[in-house]
Amino acid sequence: MNLVSTMGSIKVRKDGERDRFNEMVVALLEMRKKHPIPEKQVWPVHRKSDEALGMLLSDIHYGKFSEIDNKIEYSLEIAKARFEQVIQNARHLWEKYMREVHEIEDVHIFLVGDLIDGEQIYRTQSWNSELPVVKQVQMAAKIIKDNLLNWASKEFTNVYVHSVQGNHGEIRESGGDSSFHWQSNFDTFLANMLEFATADKPNIFWDIGYDRLHIARVKKYKTEGVHNFFMMHKLVNNPQTAAGRSKLGGWYQRFKVDAFLSGHFHNFTYNNFNGIPSLQNGALFGSADDYTMNLSFDGFPCQVLFSIADKRPIAHMWPVDLR
């Protein structure tokens, strides 16, 4: 694994309050020099079907604390329990309704940002946070690896993980503008940590985006070509508005998009732009925060499971909730 290609875009900056980020980057760079990630070969599949499994993860906001009307709605303990429950429910759907019928061998996991809650993203965030961002990243990496990646590596022939950053991974000046280059982002750093942590898994492959958008290319099975999944944390909330159609049309023309994947608005929706599916993820805390309340959304905690077929980039789809 080329160290420069995977970590070279995360910039080390000078400033006292940013030392923690710098120290984490330097430490991970040193570990990767001493223990380079081995080259991995994609395992052959039997190709009995033209499908793969997809899972959309975003807006876990690990480290967030939310209290509404004197009731604690979200915390570290709640986040951990909910993530474990959602993954358990996704596994139930897979094992009971998909595995024997669909004959799927590969899984694609799409990390679409805000896996951690960050620090100083907005000015009052210190009142809504239980952990500094360094510990958020460490604990989020552990729960994702223990509950999802370890299971996926045993269950599937190949596990492909695609990631793009979210706005809560940014390093900001006390709730203001980003004070680092946009490629220096804690969601990106988390993905690099997980890549290093799964280096011993021969069938887990990482596709880490360093910009605010990323094209995940999913190879088809029985026909030539790939599906281009356009990943961006904050896309457009409604593709049917003039502004939404203008943006999606521009991106479609430039990147030949087959599907859009996003998060940010904490409200699960499924829409389309001229027949191109647009899947917007929910949040693990549902609508139990001030931002979602101000948007007047009343969603439910969920992440999304779907299948990817040669003819349809999003074929079957389930918002996986806590039930």
Side-chain angles (χ1 to χ4, degrees):
M1 181 64 64
N2 189 318
L3 183 66
V4 174
S5 68
T6 55
M7 287 293 291
S9 296
I10 299 183
K11 309 295 192 299
V12 175
R13 305 290 193 218
K14 292 182 179 179
D15 205 329
E17 294 197 1
R18 303 167 197 169
D19 284 347
R20 285 178 296 173
F21 181 85
N22 292 336
E23 289 169 2
M24 292 177 73
V25 171
V26 171
L28 187 54
L29 284 168
E30 288 299 318
M31 283 193 295
R32 294 178 73 119
K33 287 179 182 177
K34 293 178 182 178
H35 308 283
I37 296 175
E39 293 289 342
K40 301 180 182 181
Q41 299 296 323
V42 173
W43 293 79
V45 294
H46 294 99
R47 300 182 186 275
K48 294 180 180 179
S49 76
D50 68 343
E51 286 184 293
L53 190 67
M55 188 163 192
L56 180 61
L57 291 181
S58 74
D59 298 282
I60 297 171
H61 287 271
Y62 200 76
K64 181 182 182 65
F65 180 83
S66 178
E67 184 176 359
I68 298 177
D69 200 19
N70 297 319
K71 181 182 178 182
I72 297 175
E73 299 283 358
Y74 200 66
S75 65
L76 289 170
E77 184 178 348
I78 294 172
K80 183 175 183 295
R82 286 188 179 181
F83 187 82
E84 291 172 353
Q85 186 64 56
V86 163
I87 298 303
Q88 180 178 325
N89 291 351
R91 289 177 59 175
H92 173 77
L93 284 169
W94 159 249
E95 291 166 1
K96 298 297 182 182
Y97 301 102
M98 296 187 70
R99 183 165 57 190
E100 300 302 324
V101 177
H102 291 261
E103 298 183 313
I104 288 172
E105 296 178 74
D106 293 342
V107 62
H108 291 263
I109 299 169
F110 300 89
L111 308 178
V112 194
D114 283 7
L115 303 177
I116 46 91
D117 200 47
E119 285 186 88
Q120 300 191 134
I121 304 303
Y122 52 92
R123 295 191 183 278
T124 60
Q125 190 178 15
S126 59
W127 299 98
N128 299 315
S129 182
E130 288 195 272
L131 284 177
V133 67
V134 172
K135 292 189 179 296
Q136 293 175 23
V137 171
Q138 292 170 345
M139 297 182 74
K142 179 173 173 53
I143 66 169
I144 293 171
K145 180 177 183 289
D146 291 351
N147 292 282
L148 177 58
L149 297 179
N150 286 347
W151 165 75
S153 69
K154 296 176 182 177
E155 181 71 15
F156 297 94
T157 304
N158 297 292
V159 180
Y160 302 93
V161 189
H162 316 272
S163 78
V164 73
Q165 61 181 254
N167 63 300
H168 274 253
E170 294 175 0
I171 302 164
R172 298 187 180 182
E173 292 279 11
S174 189
D177 294 332
S178 177
S179 58
F180 273 28
H181 192 280
W182 67 78
Q183 291 181 344
S184 298
N185 186 287
F186 277 107
D187 279 319
T188 307
F189 188 84
L190 173 59
N192 276 275
M193 281 186 65
L194 284 168
E195 182 185 26
F196 187 81
T198 57
D200 62 333
K201 307 289 186 185
N203 63 336
I204 297 184
F205 305 90
W206 286 85
D207 166 34
I208 300 174
Y210 284 86
D211 293 300
R212 289 169 179 161
L213 63 85
H214 181 61
I215 307 300
R217 294 174 174 83
V218 176
K219 189 175 181 179
K220 297 178 182 179
Y221 287 95
K222 294 191 174 183
T223 57
E224 295 294 324
V226 298
H227 284 307
N228 291 322
F229 282 86
F230 183 99
M231 300 170 62
M232 190 175 195
H233 178 68
K234 184 180 180 181
L235 196 61
V236 294
N237 188 40
N238 187 351
Q240 306 307 333
T241 63
R245 293 180 65 80
S246 175
K247 283 192 172 184
L248 296 186
W251 285 321
Y252 167 73
Q253 184 177 15
R254 179 170 182 175
F255 297 107
K256 300 297 183 271
V257 178
D258 294 296
F260 293 96
L261 301 177
S262 65
H264 184 73
F265 292 101
H266 305 164
N267 188 47
F268 161 75
T269 61
Y270 182 72
N271 214 314
N272 79 90
F273 165 75
N274 288 355
I276 301 166
S278 178
L279 180 56
Q280 177 181 290
N281 203 9
L284 207 55
F285 50 79
S287 56
D289 75 321
D290 291 343
Y291 174 72
T292 317
M293 290 177 65
N294 289 335
L295 291 173
S296 300
F297 293 149
D298 187 18
F300 53 92
C302 77
Q303 303 287 278
V304 182
L305 189 72
F306 60 98
S307 64
I308 305 167
D310 283 3
K311 292 184 178 180
R312 295 180 178 85
I314 299 177
H316 301 84
M317 184 263 296
W318 298 265
V320 185
D321 58 18
L322 301 174
R323 294 175 291 179

